[in-house]
Amino acid sequence: MQMRSVILRESGLPKPYSNSKPLKIELVELTPPGPMEVLVKIKAAGVCHSDLSAINGDRPRPLPVALGHEASGVVAAIGPSVEKVEVGDHVVMSFLPVCGHCSYCAEGRASLCEPGYQANAAGTLLSGGKHIRLRGYEINHHSGVSAFSEYAVVSASSIVKVTKDIDLATAALFGCAVMTGVGAVMNTCGVRPGRSVAVIGLGGVGLSAILGAVASGASDIVAIDLIQAKLDLAKELGATKTFLATSPNIVAQVKGATSGGVDYAIEMAGSKKAFELAYEITRRGGMTATAGLASANSRFEVSPLPLVGEERTIKGSYMGSCVPSRDIPRYIDLYLKGKLPVDKLLSSTGPLDEINEVFDRLDRAEINRHLVLMD
């Protein structure tokens, strides 16, 4: 079948992207799903900094690639041996296919699935195949999803069936922003009621972490960002204290407001400075976590002494340490019960044709989450 899809051929083009147009909407050929694969009609796809990092070159991807990794849709066809979904089911995409049988999956650590990681790095589906063709040439898949397209063929391991009680546009947010942000709080850090949490970097993922901290019963929830409007939204979502990252003596200010620092400091900005700040505001015995995906060239230095003497923990969080089939339905249930109002993260929606302009707005930090609507 033929469909429209957003193709990135070259990363690192100059800004603004509305002029250089790194993303081209092409008419491509999509081959049918094979064994354990599913054809999904995409309904909504979120615009995320992980996509931006592929465009600007911070996180190189095999090119050319059909971009997009956070999405929801409706199952349009299933390949042989697929039993987990049927045509017409509503699904949310997971940006890491989960094989279910590697050592990490067996331990319940699906976010570290080795075959899934290898497939994503190679630009293929979990099967090793590619389904997108442009004028006879293969196009790489982005995170096994390639969501900025009218349809997607994905591994059955890349989708989670969800209730039809949730609007499909809102459901798309659970595929990355919510799964990563809420998961970092609940799974990676294991925040318990009465503990203190700081979130540095308030994009869609960071704001989701604020919601996760509220839902976890954290007492002090500190929000830190460079932009006052984001701090105002964090306050609305449940942050108890807010600080501009540029404030003089911010470390002393945060420690003074939290009796010596927070139990958990979570860096979501993808910045070395943000991670250093997170580490400095973590109290003795506390945990500093990062899900920010800084540039591969970034380096962070720390003395081993406080790690021992203060029993400090530094921890990474990928995909919110989630098992998608377990956690996405749980988080949607919290949303439907009014305990995780993720719809407040949405800044705007628009058509596929505005894709370059939307990434300019994301790069300028003008939006938290934008959804590309396919209908």
Side-chain angles (χ1 to χ4, degrees), residues 177-187 205 208-209 211-212 320 331 340 342:
V178 176
M179 182 165 58
T180 303
V182 176
V185 173
M186 295 186 174
N187 295 331
V205 176
S208 293
L211 292 176
Y331 299 161
L340 209 62
V342 302

Side-chain angles (χ1 to χ4, degrees), residues 27 68 70 81 146 167 174 194 197 214 268 277 296 301 312 375:
L27 190 64
E70 177 186 82
S81 304
S146 295
D167 175 73
F174 288 81
V197 179
V214 174
M268 295 294 194
L277 173 59
E301 294 184 3
R312 299 277 292 273
D375 291 337

Side-chain angles (χ1 to χ4, degrees), residues 13 42 52 72 129 131 180 191 332 346:
L13 291 181
I42 301 294
L52 183 61
S72 61
H131 284 269
T180 303
V191 173
I332 287 177
L346 189 59

Side-chain angles (χ1 to χ4, degrees), residues 41-99:
K41 179 175 175 56
I42 301 294
K43 289 295 184 178
V47 174
C48 175
H49 273 88
S50 294
D51 304 308
L52 183 61
S53 67
I55 296 170
N56 65 24
D58 282 348
R59 296 184 67 205
R61 298 279 182 171
L63 301 176
V65 61
L67 212 58
H69 69 283
E70 177 186 82
S72 61
V74 179
V75 175
I78 59 175
S81 304
V82 174
E83 298 178 353
K84 64 185 291 184
V85 293
E86 298 177 349
V87 172
D89 283 345
H90 288 190
V91 294
V92 168
M93 310 293 198
S94 164
F95 59 86
L96 180 73
V98 177
C99 77

